Amino acid sequence: MRTQVGIVGAGPAGLVLSHLLHLQGIESVVLETRNRDYIENRIRAGVLEQNTVDLLTESGVGDRMKKEGMVHHGIELRFGGQGHRIDLHELTGGRAITVYGQHEVVKDLIHARLDAGGQIIFEAEAVGVEDLESHEPVIRYRKDDEDHELRCDFIAGCDGFYGVCRPSIPEGALTVYERKYPFAWLGILAETPPSSEELIYTYHERGFALHSMRSPELTRLYIQCAPDDDIEDWSDERIWEELHARLATEEGWALTEGPILEEGRGITPMRSFVVEPMQYGRLFLAGDAAHIVTPTGAKGMNLAVADVRILARALTEFYASGQRGFDLLDRYSETCMRRVWLAQRFSWWMTAMLHRFDDDPFQHHLQLAELDYVTSSRSAAKTLAENYVGLPMDLNLGAASAPAESSSV
Ligand code: RFL
Ligand code: PHB
């Protein structure tokens, strides 16, 4: 089999890429190791930046998101038993986030691709990518206990952190930057209406807690736990007890309990990870295959979408120029990297501010001071807000070093 762009992985990165390429008349085949039902019900991210919402809307896959997604104009930071609202909308000149499950985005994209005659091969495990430095790289995969190969012009490695693409790049060609953390997140999905209209990020002596949601009937909750904790040791009672304790306020805010659904229950280790460059020959890495951010900034899926938007533009230029234009492709990694490191910085900062690290009282007071500052200084709140809703696509951040006439001073 042959195609123009062979895509490994049907997560947000692979599916958005396939969709954007299709809109430009470029053919692709997506290989996905799991079955359709599994990836359409895999509970993961939930916060879409304005950039992601705009892209899905403009590319024609935003109808259900517009109907069912919940637009949020603010978030709450809670510490010392008190809540403090960050007004994202007002602080960013009218931007917002949308709460809409990653698996819903995946469903919408799969539907759109199959409807348009696109090829997604489920239960097809890529086992290797080869000839990366040639004009015709190849993906070897297994389907129904048989070996197959997919030849293409380019390979997009959208196969997540544990995929096969990144490890296929020769050792020495990549630089890895990594940080591990002494904690993890235990996440649950509860069949109960959210107890607050907005997300609540809580710093508490017992550890971080997050109140989020998936719909008016489903609450998504997370608590900081030890990285080696066994999910079996966390009974429903223990989970609720910890959530009540960490989210409690002096005014007596009440958290509504409900049955905990098995899907969505799990412990996720916390890490920051970047490889550079995101390209080797004709293999381009995108999304979690190239970088992992801590989930505290809600940036992972949004970064994956931002990568493939840049990749789709570069591939479009290549084909539109009669297969001679390598300019944007050659700059792909460099273009992505700036946003990747800005997202790493923000995610790391949110994580450092909101988690309990150890019993160091100095560290504890620094975190309280950081939270005090962010919730009482307009400039600090604005910094959080502009990062949380997503930096502009062109990363023009309105620098202080901008020309004098554009300065507000
Ligand atoms: P994915 O979604 O992991 O998709 C990769 C796909 O590749 C398949 N695959 C293979 N297919 C064929 N052959 C192989 N050899 C293969 N190996 C793997 C996999 O089955 C899978 O379908 O990566 P992608 O597309 O880069 O998307 C990244 C996002 O999934 C990830 O960054 C986010 O989920 C991170 N994240 C969050 N991101 C946000 O933007 N906002 C959030 O609120 C947010 N919250 C979260 C999160 C991640 C979490 N966990 C569980 C890691 C909360 C949590 C708890
Ligand atoms: C979620 O709803 O899953 C979620 C929300 C905010 C985060 C991470 C995850 O920072």
Side-chain angles (χ1 to χ4, degrees):
M1 197 174 24
R2 202 189 187 291
T3 188
Q4 289 180 299
V5 183
I7 300 175
V8 187
L15 291 167
V16 171
L17 179 63
S18 179
H19 175 61
L20 294 179
L21 292 176
H22 163 70
L23 296 179
Q24 298 298 329
I26 300 166
E27 192 190 273
S28 66
V29 172
V30 182
L31 303 174
E32 168 57 51
T33 187
R34 303 285 189 167
N35 65 39
R36 180 173 175 181
D37 187 60
Y38 182 90
I39 62 169
E40 287 191 343
N41 292 292
R42 182 168 49 190
I43 305 295
R44 280 191 160 184
V47 174
L48 307 187
E49 289 180 349
Q50 185 90 50
N51 292 324
T52 306
V53 169
D54 292 347
L55 179 80
L56 296 174
T57 307
E58 284 157 19
S59 67
V61 286
D63 288 356
R64 204 162 62 90
M65 174 187 68
K66 278 276 176 263
K67 266 193 243 119
E68 297 175 21
M70 294 172 281
V71 178
H72 285 202
H73 286 171
I75 55 167
E76 184 180 324
L77 295 183
R78 199 173 270 190
F79 58 99
Q82 302 215 312
H84 306 257
R85 184 166 190 265
I86 304 285
D87 191 333
L88 301 172
H89 198 250
E90 192 267 327
L91 289 163
T92 60
R95 289 165 77 83
I97 54 148
T98 297
V99 178
Y100 187 63
Q102 174 172 326
H103 64 292
E104 305 293 354
V105 175
V106 163
K107 266 185 219 164
D108 296 343
L109 286 160
I110 290 176
H111 187 260
R113 285 309 296 125
L114 297 180
D115 238 24
Q119 249 195 303
I120 305 171
I121 309 180
F122 294 101
E123 297 176 78
E125 187 196 2
V127 290
V129 290
E130 292 167 19
D131 303 340
L132 303 177
E133 287 164 288
S134 78
H135 290 297
E136 200 182 50
V138 60
I139 307 171
R140 301 202 184 281
Y141 67 97
R142 275 189 80 73
K143 163 106 185 134
D144 300 330
D145 291 325
E146 278 178 33
D147 293 324
H148 302 263
E149 61 173 51
L150 173 62
R151 295 204 160 266
C152 34
D153 296 333
F154 298 98
I155 299 174
C158 302
D159 49 350
F161 186 66
Y162 300 102
V164 73
C165 291
R166 191 182 64 247
S168 304
I169 298 175
E171 223 174 288
L174 296 179
T175 306
V176 174
Y177 303 90
E178 190 168 20
R179 177 163 292 190
K180 295 198 176 117
Y181 297 82
F183 43 76
W185 275 18
L186 186 158
I188 58 157
L189 192 61
E191 222 171 350
T192 183
S195 305
S196 158
E197 283 182 8
E198 294 181 337
L199 269 63
I200 307 169
Y201 288 83
T202 307
Y203 174 66
H204 191 277
E205 267 122 87
R206 298 171 77 120
F208 169 80
L210 170 61
H211 167 279
S212 180
M213 62 202 69
R214 282 296 174 274
S215 72
E217 296 82 36
L218 284 176
T219 306
R220 178 81 165 139
L221 295 146
Y222 296 96
I223 41 179
Q224 173 183 350
C225 65
D228 53 356
D229 269 3
D230 187 342
I231 191 79
E232 300 301 325
D233 294 333
W234 281 91
S235 65
D236 292 6
E237 294 70 36
R238 184 175 170 208
I239 293 173
W240 287 116
E241 193 184 302
E242 216 40 58
L243 283 163
H244 283 295
R246 296 184 193 187
L247 286 159
T249 64
E250 280 170 6
E251 298 87 46
W253 181 82
L255 171 69
T256 320
E257 292 188 19
I260 297 179
L261 303 174
E262 274 327 299
E263 64 261 35
R265 187 200 291 260
I267 292 180
T268 307
M270 190 96 2
R271 63 156 60 85
S272 307
F273 177 92
V274 178
V275 287
E276 202 175 3
M278 291 166 61
Q279 176 198 359
Y280 181 78
R282 288 203 171 202
L283 168 66
F284 291 83
L285 302 176
D288 279 14
H291 40 71
I292 297 287
V293 287
T294 55
T296 329
K299 288 280 163 267
M301 170 173 46
N302 295 294
L303 265 189
V305 172
D307 286 351
V308 295
R309 183 180 204 157
I310 293 163
L311 185 55
R313 199 175 300 148
L315 290 165
T316 301
E317 181 199 59
F318 173 81
Y319 286 108
S321 66
Q323 313 209 358
R324 279 192 298 271
F326 279 95
D327 206 36
L328 293 182
L329 281 172
D330 287 344
R331 278 193 282 132
Y332 167 72
S333 181
E334 186 192 330
T335 310
C336 292
M337 269 307 143
R338 183 160 178 233
R339 174 175 295 276
V340 168
W341 279 111
L342 287 167
Q344 286 291 1
R345 185 206 72 83
F346 176 65
S347 306
W348 170 84
W349 174 74
M350 287 284 280
T351 302
M353 177 169 72
L354 288 161
H355 289 74
R356 195 80 169 115
F357 279 78
D358 45 35
D359 282 331
D360 177 358
F362 190 83
Q363 171 72 22
H364 173 60
H365 280 279
L366 280 182
Q367 287 177 241
L368 288 177
E370 187 80 49
L371 284 158
D372 177 7
Y373 184 55
V374 160
T375 52
S376 43
S377 152
R378 184 175 167 81
S379 320
K382 209 166 175 231
T383 297
L384 189 157
E386 76 172 12
N387 281 277
Y388 196 80
V389 299
L391 298 173
M393 261 327 283
D394 64 2
L395 290 181
N396 182 348
L397 306 179
S401 55
E405 65 269 24
S406 69
S407 149
S408 58
V409 186

